[in-house]
Amino acid sequence: MLRPSLFPGEENDLNKFHLELRGVSKEYAGFVAVESVDLKVARGEFLVLLGPSGSGKTTILSMMGGFTVPTTGHMYIDGHDVTETTPAHRPTATVFQDYALFPHMSVLQNVSFGLTMRKVSKPLRYQRAETALETMGLSGLGDREIHQLSGGQRQRVALARAIAVEPEVLLLDEPLGALDQKIRRQMQVELVRLQKTLGVTFVHVTHDQEEAMSIADNIALINKGRIEDYGPPDRIYLRPATLFAATFMGDSNIFSGEVVGNQADWVEIKTQTGNLRIAGSQEIGTSVHIMLRPEQIKVGSSESSDTFSMGVVRIVDVTFQGTHRLCRALGGADETVEFLLRLPPEHAVSPSDCLSIYALMSDVVLLTR
Ligand code: ATP
């Protein structure tokens, strides 16, 4: 599949990666903010850069947009090396967390600003700005001053300004951070709709794992300047690659353990809540962790080979949350191990109730790093 190139005289293969980072690092006076990041983003993909504060998400996005030059490594768009290309010469547009709207300009002037910079003729730029406003549900607000808009409307103006220049890659730095919870949810749905409608590649920064899971095609989980885990949201949630990924992506039960036996394709692990055999190849004596999500722990007894019995636990507290009951429980020898269970709402339990619990072996995740 071929489409006209941004770079005249060339045609680009749509099947190759749209945006690619190879060995990209950024150092500030000896401090490594981003370290050896390799990342490939397909054309039309919605990638989310997720991670805690200070992990390097904004720095990666800023290098994609051309606002920060990498210390080492290369960045490609459509197969062209853009490592040192300025923002104005890249097919990217960035929506900043604070929106960076011009307070002394009207909504229409704000939205057409990027087109003015690109020397697009006045009639055409107003036409494109009006279309962008319409796409963002802001028709009729072009003459308003910025201070006459709600937070949600300002957010839409910032998005309209970015899409008006018809970028190939839209970079979004925590664009929903300033919105309240309800508008934030609405905007998440709208962003996905917008991305599918425009067919543009989106890279979106957030520290909110629920937001990341609800909008991303793929998540790059960033920790200490490195990609800790990468993949579709369900894979990262259900089969996290590392202990950090398991704890960052929602509630989890993590049990420490030690490999006490091994065969060709399985290992036996001794944990604080019982022994289990699981696929693996670690040496005897290796320290590991196993993980289960709260909703994967089931109530009842099961001793079959495809289940992991964790004995009896005592409920410590219960909160009814509508869709489920969130329970904290203690188990293991001397009740030293804490469990988090998400029981169905119809399962009435009270503090001090004792329950036998188990999980399906297929749900158990072995974490070796
Ligand atoms: P947040 O979610 O809080 O915005 P982040 O994951 O986006 O965080 P970055 O803003 O990329 O993190 O910062 C990564 C690290 O690099 C931080 O420790 C930050 O202090 C440092 N850093 C970022 N910009 C600079 C700079 N211009 N000079 C020195 N250090 C910087």
Side-chain angles (χ1 to χ4, degrees):
M1 199 177 173
L2 295 171
R3 62 177 272 159
S5 171
L6 274 167
F7 303 88
E10 297 174 31
E11 284 186 317
N12 295 317
D13 182 353
L14 272 187
N15 295 322
K16 80 179 169 204
F17 288 101
H18 195 187
L19 181 65
E20 189 172 350
L21 277 64
R22 285 192 210 151
V24 167
S25 300
K26 181 67 192 176
E27 279 186 34
Y28 292 108
F31 171 75
V32 182
V34 172
E35 191 174 358
S36 298
V37 165
D38 293 314
L39 199 53
K40 290 176 176 175
V41 191
R43 184 177 290 279
E45 177 177 333
F46 201 135
L47 174 74
V48 171
L49 302 178
L50 173 69
S53 181
S55 56
K57 308 177 296 291
T58 296
T59 307
I60 296 173
L61 197 81
S62 174
M63 290 191 282
M64 289 175 171
F67 298 98
T68 300
V69 178
T71 310
T72 56
H74 288 267
M75 185 157 317
Y76 302 86
I77 295 180
D78 259 343
H80 298 269
D81 191 332
V82 294
T83 313
E84 308 218 355
T85 307
T86 58
H89 293 94
R90 295 182 183 218
T92 53
T94 303
V95 177
F96 298 98
Q97 183 167 14
D98 61 1
Y99 313 152
L101 296 172
F102 303 113
H104 55 283
M105 290 185 191
S106 69
V107 166
L108 191 66
Q109 286 167 334
N110 262 281
V111 175
S112 51
F113 180 78
L115 300 168
T116 310
M117 291 292 100
R118 283 167 171 76
K119 311 234 181 312
V120 175
S121 70
K122 199 168 182 180
L124 185 57
R125 75 177 179 251
Y126 281 153
Q127 186 194 328
R128 276 170 63 178
E130 290 287 4
T131 306
L133 285 172
E134 196 183 316
T135 306
M136 292 314 305
L138 294 169
S139 297
L141 295 185
D143 292 333
R144 286 260 187 108
E145 298 288 321
I146 297 302
H147 69 87
Q148 295 173 313
L149 301 175
S150 70
Q153 286 169 331
R154 284 177 208 197
Q155 211 285 329
R156 283 164 207 265
V157 173
L159 274 166
R161 185 173 65 179
I163 63 174
V165 299
E166 298 178 354
E168 293 218 353
V169 181
L170 190 56
L171 305 169
L172 305 126
D173 191 0
E174 298 253 11
L176 312 182
L179 305 178
D180 71 40
Q181 194 67 2
K182 192 166 167 230
I183 299 178
R184 208 179 157 106
R185 294 273 169 263
Q186 281 170 4
M187 282 307 300
Q188 287 167 6
V189 175
E190 281 199 36
L191 274 183
V192 173
R193 179 191 58 80
L194 183 68
Q195 192 255 347
K196 300 299 170 215
T197 311
L198 300 175
V200 167
T201 304
F202 273 38
V203 183
H204 175 117
V205 161
T206 183
H207 60 265
D208 178 342
Q209 47 94 12
E210 279 183 28
E211 179 168 304
M213 284 200 276
S214 66
I215 60 179
D217 292 321
N218 282 304
I219 294 174
L221 182 60
I222 316 292
N223 183 29
K224 296 181 181 160
R226 289 176 156 269
I227 296 182
E228 182 92 19
D229 202 352
Y230 170 86
D234 54 350
R235 205 283 291 145
I236 296 191
Y237 181 79
L238 294 170
R239 315 293 307 180
T242 67
L243 187 58
F244 174 85
T247 49
F248 194 80
M249 291 292 284
D251 291 333
S252 53
N253 290 278
I254 310 265
F255 308 117
S256 56
E258 184 187 330
V259 177
V260 292
N262 56 16
Q263 286 285 330
D265 54 356
W266 57 261
V267 287
E268 180 165 357
I269 296 168
K270 182 180 174 196
T271 78
Q272 308 133 289
T273 81
N275 285 24
L276 73 159
R277 283 185 184 183
I278 191 166
S281 56
Q282 287 67 36
E283 297 288 311
I284 291 175
T286 307
S287 295
V288 294
H289 291 90
I290 62 163
M291 185 213 75
L292 283 163
R293 295 294 178 192
E295 61 276 17
Q296 292 171 330
I297 295 184
K298 301 179 192 311
V299 175
S301 305
S302 175
E303 297 295 338
S304 79
S305 62
D306 55 4
T307 58
F308 172 38
S309 172
M310 288 168 278
V312 175
V313 295
R314 184 173 55 84
I315 300 293
V316 179
D317 53 57
V318 184
T319 18
F320 180 68
Q321 306 212 330
T323 53
H324 61 272
R325 289 176 200 268
L326 189 64
C327 310
R328 212 164 52 80
L330 292 173
D334 306 327
E335 293 195 343
T336 49
V337 184
E338 195 166 304
F339 293 80
L340 201 57
L341 284 67
R342 211 168 276 167
L343 301 183
E346 62 277 11
H347 192 139
V349 279
S350 309
S352 74
D353 285 356
C354 289
L355 307 171
S356 294
I357 57 167
Y358 71 97
L360 299 177
M361 275 307 299
S362 55
D363 287 338
V364 179
V365 178
L366 173 62
L367 299 166
T368 58
R369 60 197 169 101

PDB file of all heavy atoms in Angstrom, residues 332-358:
ATOM      1  N   GLY A 332      -1.921 -17.681  54.871  1.00  0.00           N
ATOM      2  CA  GLY A 332      -0.558 -18.202  54.991  1.00  0.00           C
ATOM      3  C   GLY A 332      -0.278 -18.567  56.443  1.00  0.00           C
ATOM      4  O   GLY A 332      -1.120 -18.384  57.322  1.00  0.00           O
ATOM      5  N   ALA A 333       0.931 -19.052  56.713  1.00  0.00           N
ATOM      6  CA  ALA A 333       1.290 -19.428  58.081  1.00  0.00           C
ATOM      7  C   ALA A 333       1.233 -18.183  58.967  1.00  0.00           C
ATOM      8  O   ALA A 333       1.701 -17.121  58.579  1.00  0.00           O
ATOM      9  CB  ALA A 333       2.701 -20.019  58.091  1.00  0.00           C
ATOM     10  N   ASP A 334       0.594 -18.290  60.137  1.00  0.00           N
ATOM     11  CA  ASP A 334       0.480 -17.182  61.117  1.00  0.00           C
ATOM     12  C   ASP A 334      -0.209 -15.943  60.545  1.00  0.00           C
ATOM     13  O   ASP A 334       0.002 -14.826  61.035  1.00  0.00           O
ATOM     14  CB  ASP A 334       1.868 -16.757  61.653  1.00  0.00           C
ATOM     15  CG  ASP A 334       2.647 -17.930  62.213  1.00  0.00           C
ATOM     16  OD1 ASP A 334       1.985 -18.845  62.759  1.00  0.00           O
ATOM     17  OD2 ASP A 334       3.876 -17.934  62.063  1.00  0.00           O
ATOM     18  N   GLU A 335      -0.997 -16.126  59.493  1.00  0.00           N
ATOM     19  CA  GLU A 335      -1.727 -15.000  58.877  1.00  0.00           C
ATOM     20  C   GLU A 335      -0.815 -13.807  58.578  1.00  0.00           C
ATOM     21  O   GLU A 335      -1.121 -12.663  58.877  1.00  0.00           O
ATOM     22  CB  GLU A 335      -2.888 -14.559  59.784  1.00  0.00           C
ATOM     23  CG  GLU A 335      -3.978 -15.604  59.884  1.00  0.00           C
ATOM     24  CD  GLU A 335      -5.264 -15.046  60.461  1.00  0.00           C
ATOM     25  OE1 GLU A 335      -5.232 -13.970  61.077  1.00  0.00           O
ATOM     26  OE2 GLU A 335      -6.305 -15.704  60.269  1.00  0.00           O
ATOM     27  N   THR A 336       0.318 -14.078  57.966  1.00  0.00           N
ATOM     28  CA  THR A 336       1.269 -12.996  57.667  1.00  0.00           C
ATOM     29  C   THR A 336       1.173 -12.539  56.208  1.00  0.00           C
ATOM     30  O   THR A 336       1.824 -11.578  55.813  1.00  0.00           O
ATOM     31  CB  THR A 336       2.714 -13.456  57.935  1.00  0.00           C
ATOM     32  OG1 THR A 336       2.891 -14.716  57.288  1.00  0.00           O
ATOM     33  CG2 THR A 336       3.015 -13.568  59.413  1.00  0.00           C
ATOM     34  N   VAL A 337       0.368 -13.256  55.409  1.00  0.00           N
ATOM     35  CA  VAL A 337       0.295 -12.895  53.987  1.00  0.00           C
ATOM     36  C   VAL A 337      -1.022 -12.164  53.716  1.00  0.00           C
ATOM     37  O   VAL A 337      -2.096 -12.635  54.113  1.00  0.00           O
ATOM     38  CB  VAL A 337       0.380 -14.160  53.097  1.00  0.00           C
ATOM     39  CG1 VAL A 337       0.409 -13.756  51.621  1.00  0.00           C
ATOM     40  CG2 VAL A 337       1.588 -14.984  53.455  1.00  0.00           C
ATOM     41  N   GLU A 338      -0.902 -11.012  53.029  1.00  0.00           N
ATOM     42  CA  GLU A 338      -2.106 -10.220  52.750  1.00  0.00           C
ATOM     43  C   GLU A 338      -2.639 -10.557  51.367  1.00  0.00           C
ATOM     44  O   GLU A 338      -1.863 -10.704  50.412  1.00  0.00           O
ATOM     45  CB  GLU A 338      -1.763  -8.739  52.836  1.00  0.00           C
ATOM     46  CG  GLU A 338      -3.001  -7.892  52.913  1.00  0.00           C
ATOM     47  CD  GLU A 338      -2.692  -6.455  53.346  1.00  0.00           C
ATOM     48  OE1 GLU A 338      -2.087  -6.253  54.414  1.00  0.00           O
ATOM     49  OE2 GLU A 338      -3.078  -5.558  52.587  1.00  0.00           O
ATOM     50  N   PHE A 339      -3.952 -10.689  51.256  1.00  0.00           N
ATOM     51  CA  PHE A 339      -4.610 -10.995  49.973  1.00  0.00           C
ATOM     52  C   PHE A 339      -5.610  -9.887  49.652  1.00  0.00           C
ATOM     53  O   PHE A 339      -6.227  -9.339  50.565  1.00  0.00           O
ATOM     54  CB  PHE A 339      -5.397 -12.307  50.056  1.00  0.00           C
ATOM     55  CG  PHE A 339      -4.551 -13.530  50.218  1.00  0.00           C
ATOM     56  CD1 PHE A 339      -4.048 -13.876  51.468  1.00  0.00           C
ATOM     57  CD2 PHE A 339      -4.257 -14.336  49.131  1.00  0.00           C
ATOM     58  CE1 PHE A 339      -3.269 -15.004  51.628  1.00  0.00           C
ATOM     59  CE2 PHE A 339      -3.473 -15.472  49.285  1.00  0.00           C
ATOM     60  CZ  PHE A 339      -2.976 -15.803  50.540  1.00  0.00           C
ATOM     61  N   LEU A 340      -5.767  -9.632  48.366  1.00  0.00           N
ATOM     62  CA  LEU A 340      -6.805  -8.716  47.900  1.00  0.00           C
ATOM     63  C   LEU A 340      -7.720  -9.527  46.987  1.00  0.00           C
ATOM     64  O   LEU A 340      -7.248 -10.123  46.010  1.00  0.00           O
ATOM     65  CB  LEU A 340      -6.147  -7.569  47.131  1.00  0.00           C
ATOM     66  CG  LEU A 340      -6.934  -6.285  46.982  1.00  0.00           C
ATOM     67  CD1 LEU A 340      -7.337  -5.714  48.348  1.00  0.00           C
ATOM     68  CD2 LEU A 340      -6.094  -5.257  46.226  1.00  0.00           C
ATOM     69  N   LEU A 341      -9.003  -9.584  47.335  1.00  0.00           N
ATOM     70  CA  LEU A 341      -9.965 -10.377  46.564  1.00  0.00           C
ATOM     71  C   LEU A 341     -11.035  -9.450  46.000  1.00  0.00           C
ATOM     72  O   LEU A 341     -11.419  -8.483  46.653  1.00  0.00           O
ATOM     73  CB  LEU A 341     -10.665 -11.403  47.459  1.00  0.00           C
ATOM     74  CG  LEU A 341      -9.950 -12.670  47.908  1.00  0.00           C
ATOM     75  CD1 LEU A 341      -8.803 -12.367  48.852  1.00  0.00           C
ATOM     76  CD2 LEU A 341     -10.926 -13.603  48.598  1.00  0.00           C
ATOM     77  N   ARG A 342     -11.527  -9.783  44.832  1.00  0.00           N
ATOM     78  CA  ARG A 342     -12.639  -9.029  44.255  1.00  0.00           C
ATOM     79  C   ARG A 342     -13.759 -10.035  44.039  1.00  0.00           C
ATOM     80  O   ARG A 342     -13.775 -10.749  43.042  1.00  0.00           O
ATOM     81  CB  ARG A 342     -12.186  -8.409  42.941  1.00  0.00           C
ATOM     82  CG  ARG A 342     -12.866  -7.120  42.629  1.00  0.00           C
ATOM     83  CD  ARG A 342     -12.197  -6.391  41.499  1.00  0.00           C
ATOM     84  NE  ARG A 342     -11.062  -5.601  41.953  1.00  0.00           N
ATOM     85  CZ  ARG A 342     -10.160  -5.063  41.156  1.00  0.00           C
ATOM     86  NH1 ARG A 342     -10.231  -5.232  39.876  1.00  0.00           N
ATOM     87  NH2 ARG A 342      -9.184  -4.344  41.645  1.00  0.00           N
ATOM     88  N   LEU A 343     -14.664 -10.111  45.005  1.00  0.00           N
ATOM     89  CA  LEU A 343     -15.712 -11.132  44.938  1.00  0.00           C
ATOM     90  C   LEU A 343     -16.946 -10.580  44.235  1.00  0.00           C
ATOM     91  O   LEU A 343     -17.186  -9.361  44.259  1.00  0.00           O
ATOM     92  CB  LEU A 343     -16.077 -11.580  46.356  1.00  0.00           C
ATOM     93  CG  LEU A 343     -14.931 -12.164  47.187  1.00  0.00           C
ATOM     94  CD1 LEU A 343     -15.433 -12.627  48.548  1.00  0.00           C
ATOM     95  CD2 LEU A 343     -14.256 -13.326  46.460  1.00  0.00           C
ATOM     96  N   PRO A 344     -17.769 -11.466  43.635  1.00  0.00           N
ATOM     97  CA  PRO A 344     -18.996 -11.000  42.981  1.00  0.00           C
ATOM     98  C   PRO A 344     -19.889 -10.277  43.999  1.00  0.00           C
ATOM     99  O   PRO A 344     -19.877 -10.629  45.184  1.00  0.00           O
ATOM    100  CB  PRO A 344     -19.671 -12.299  42.502  1.00  0.00           C
ATOM    101  CG  PRO A 344     -18.633 -13.354  42.602  1.00  0.00           C
ATOM    102  CD  PRO A 344     -17.605 -12.923  43.587  1.00  0.00           C
ATOM    103  N   PRO A 345     -20.686  -9.285  43.550  1.00  0.00           N
ATOM    104  CA  PRO A 345     -21.490  -8.508  44.510  1.00  0.00           C
ATOM    105  C   PRO A 345     -22.480  -9.361  45.291  1.00  0.00           C
ATOM    106  O   PRO A 345     -22.828  -9.044  46.429  1.00  0.00           O
ATOM    107  CB  PRO A 345     -22.199  -7.476  43.622  1.00  0.00           C
ATOM    108  CG  PRO A 345     -22.047  -7.964  42.218  1.00  0.00           C
ATOM    109  CD  PRO A 345     -20.854  -8.833  42.175  1.00  0.00           C
ATOM    110  N   GLU A 346     -22.921 -10.475  44.681  1.00  0.00           N
ATOM    111  CA  GLU A 346     -23.909 -11.315  45.367  1.00  0.00           C
ATOM    112  C   GLU A 346     -23.278 -12.188  46.449  1.00  0.00           C
ATOM    113  O   GLU A 346     -23.977 -12.829  47.228  1.00  0.00           O
ATOM    114  CB  GLU A 346     -24.687 -12.178  44.352  1.00  0.00           C
ATOM    115  CG  GLU A 346     -23.871 -13.171  43.545  1.00  0.00           C
ATOM    116  CD  GLU A 346     -23.195 -12.558  42.316  1.00  0.00           C
ATOM    117  OE1 GLU A 346     -23.178 -11.314  42.185  1.00  0.00           O
ATOM    118  OE2 GLU A 346     -22.648 -13.329  41.502  1.00  0.00           O
ATOM    119  N   HIS A 347     -21.945 -12.203  46.516  1.00  0.00           N
ATOM    120  CA  HIS A 347     -21.268 -13.021  47.523  1.00  0.00           C
ATOM    121  C   HIS A 347     -21.117 -12.209  48.815  1.00  0.00           C
ATOM    122  O   HIS A 347     -20.196 -11.412  48.971  1.00  0.00           O
ATOM    123  CB  HIS A 347     -19.881 -13.452  47.000  1.00  0.00           C
ATOM    124  CG  HIS A 347     -19.251 -14.516  47.833  1.00  0.00           C
ATOM    125  ND1 HIS A 347     -18.565 -15.569  47.295  1.00  0.00           N
ATOM    126  CD2 HIS A 347     -19.211 -14.698  49.182  1.00  0.00           C
ATOM    127  CE1 HIS A 347     -18.138 -16.351  48.268  1.00  0.00           C
ATOM    128  NE2 HIS A 347     -18.514 -15.831  49.413  1.00  0.00           N
ATOM    129  N   ALA A 348     -22.066 -12.384  49.737  1.00  0.00           N
ATOM    130  CA  ALA A 348     -22.035 -11.615  50.979  1.00  0.00           C
ATOM    131  C   ALA A 348     -20.957 -12.163  51.906  1.00  0.00           C
ATOM    132  O   ALA A 348     -20.958 -13.363  52.211  1.00  0.00           O
ATOM    133  CB  ALA A 348     -23.398 -11.669  51.654  1.00  0.00           C
ATOM    134  N   VAL A 349     -20.025 -11.325  52.295  1.00  0.00           N
ATOM    135  CA  VAL A 349     -18.982 -11.731  53.264  1.00  0.00           C
ATOM    136  C   VAL A 349     -18.828 -10.622  54.299  1.00  0.00           C
ATOM    137  O   VAL A 349     -19.124  -9.462  54.022  1.00  0.00           O
ATOM    138  CB  VAL A 349     -17.599 -11.967  52.599  1.00  0.00           C
ATOM    139  CG1 VAL A 349     -17.487 -13.313  51.963  1.00  0.00           C
ATOM    140  CG2 VAL A 349     -17.231 -10.854  51.652  1.00  0.00           C
ATOM    141  N   SER A 350     -18.336 -11.012  55.463  1.00  0.00           N
ATOM    142  CA  SER A 350     -18.140 -10.044  56.541  1.00  0.00           C
ATOM    143  C   SER A 350     -16.761 -10.230  57.125  1.00  0.00           C
ATOM    144  O   SER A 350     -16.184 -11.321  57.030  1.00  0.00           O
ATOM    145  CB  SER A 350     -19.155 -10.278  57.667  1.00  0.00           C
ATOM    146  OG  SER A 350     -20.445 -10.334  57.149  1.00  0.00           O
ATOM    147  N   PRO A 351     -16.215  -9.176  57.763  1.00  0.00           N
ATOM    148  CA  PRO A 351     -14.931  -9.318  58.439  1.00  0.00           C
ATOM    149  C   PRO A 351     -14.974 -10.487  59.429  1.00  0.00           C
ATOM    150  O   PRO A 351     -16.015 -10.724  60.057  1.00  0.00           O
ATOM    151  CB  PRO A 351     -14.770  -7.976  59.168  1.00  0.00           C
ATOM    152  CG  PRO A 351     -15.552  -7.025  58.343  1.00  0.00           C
ATOM    153  CD  PRO A 351     -16.733  -7.800  57.826  1.00  0.00           C
ATOM    154  N   SER A 352     -13.868 -11.187  59.500  1.00  0.00           N
ATOM    155  CA  SER A 352     -13.618 -12.385  60.330  1.00  0.00           C
ATOM    156  C   SER A 352     -14.180 -13.677  59.724  1.00  0.00           C
ATOM    157  O   SER A 352     -13.944 -14.752  60.264  1.00  0.00           O
ATOM    158  CB  SER A 352     -14.015 -12.187  61.794  1.00  0.00           C
ATOM    159  OG  SER A 352     -15.399 -12.219  61.920  1.00  0.00           O
ATOM    160  N   ASP A 353     -14.917 -13.608  58.593  1.00  0.00           N
ATOM    161  CA  ASP A 353     -15.289 -14.846  57.883  1.00  0.00           C
ATOM    162  C   ASP A 353     -14.021 -15.538  57.386  1.00  0.00           C
ATOM    163  O   ASP A 353     -13.070 -14.868  56.982  1.00  0.00           O
ATOM    164  CB  ASP A 353     -16.162 -14.542  56.646  1.00  0.00           C
ATOM    165  CG  ASP A 353     -17.589 -14.182  57.007  1.00  0.00           C
ATOM    166  OD1 ASP A 353     -17.919 -14.233  58.202  1.00  0.00           O
ATOM    167  OD2 ASP A 353     -18.355 -13.822  56.085  1.00  0.00           O
ATOM    168  N   CYS A 354     -14.014 -16.864  57.406  1.00  0.00           N
ATOM    169  CA  CYS A 354     -12.869 -17.616  56.876  1.00  0.00           C
ATOM    170  C   CYS A 354     -13.281 -18.312  55.580  1.00  0.00           C
ATOM    171  O   CYS A 354     -14.356 -18.917  55.510  1.00  0.00           O
ATOM    172  CB  CYS A 354     -12.391 -18.639  57.898  1.00  0.00           C
ATOM    173  SG  CYS A 354     -11.580 -17.826  59.290  1.00  0.00           S
ATOM    174  N   LEU A 355     -12.459 -18.192  54.546  1.00  0.00           N
ATOM    175  CA  LEU A 355     -12.782 -18.746  53.227  1.00  0.00           C
ATOM    176  C   LEU A 355     -11.605 -19.541  52.688  1.00  0.00           C
ATOM    177  O   LEU A 355     -10.452 -19.125  52.847  1.00  0.00           O
ATOM    178  CB  LEU A 355     -13.062 -17.624  52.222  1.00  0.00           C
ATOM    179  CG  LEU A 355     -14.087 -16.550  52.566  1.00  0.00           C
ATOM    180  CD1 LEU A 355     -14.035 -15.437  51.518  1.00  0.00           C
ATOM    181  CD2 LEU A 355     -15.481 -17.164  52.589  1.00  0.00           C
ATOM    182  N   SER A 356     -11.903 -20.676  52.022  1.00  0.00           N
ATOM    183  CA  SER A 356     -10.848 -21.372  51.272  1.00  0.00           C
ATOM    184  C   SER A 356     -10.736 -20.688  49.923  1.00  0.00           C
ATOM    185  O   SER A 356     -11.760 -20.334  49.316  1.00  0.00           O
ATOM    186  CB  SER A 356     -11.248 -22.833  51.031  1.00  0.00           C
ATOM    187  OG  SER A 356     -11.309 -23.499  52.249  1.00  0.00           O
ATOM    188  N   ILE A 357      -9.506 -20.496  49.460  1.00  0.00           N
ATOM    189  CA  ILE A 357      -9.345 -19.820  48.161  1.00  0.00           C
ATOM    190  C   ILE A 357      -8.391 -20.595  47.248  1.00  0.00           C
ATOM    191  O   ILE A 357      -7.526 -21.339  47.713  1.00  0.00           O
ATOM    192  CB  ILE A 357      -8.841 -18.361  48.325  1.00  0.00           C
ATOM    193  CG1 ILE A 357      -7.528 -18.309  49.102  1.00  0.00           C
ATOM    194  CG2 ILE A 357      -9.889 -17.478  48.936  1.00  0.00           C
ATOM    195  CD1 ILE A 357      -6.840 -16.961  49.016  1.00  0.00           C
ATOM    196  N   TYR A 358      -8.605 -20.386  45.941  1.00  0.00           N
ATOM    197  CA  TYR A 358      -7.728 -21.008  44.941  1.00  0.00           C
ATOM    198  C   TYR A 358      -7.738 -20.141  43.684  1.00  0.00           C
ATOM    199  O   TYR A 358      -8.535 -19.197  43.576  1.00  0.00           O
ATOM    200  CB  TYR A 358      -8.188 -22.437  44.619  1.00  0.00           C
ATOM    201  CG  TYR A 358      -9.468 -22.508  43.819  1.00  0.00           C
ATOM    202  CD1 TYR A 358      -9.432 -22.661  42.427  1.00  0.00           C
ATOM    203  CD2 TYR A 358     -10.711 -22.395  44.429  1.00  0.00           C
ATOM    204  CE1 TYR A 358     -10.594 -22.709  41.679  1.00  0.00           C
ATOM    205  CE2 TYR A 358     -11.884 -22.440  43.685  1.00  0.00           C
ATOM    206  CZ  TYR A 358     -11.816 -22.595  42.314  1.00  0.00           C
ATOM    207  OH  TYR A 358     -12.969 -22.618  41.582  1.00  0.00           O
TER     208      TYR A 358
END
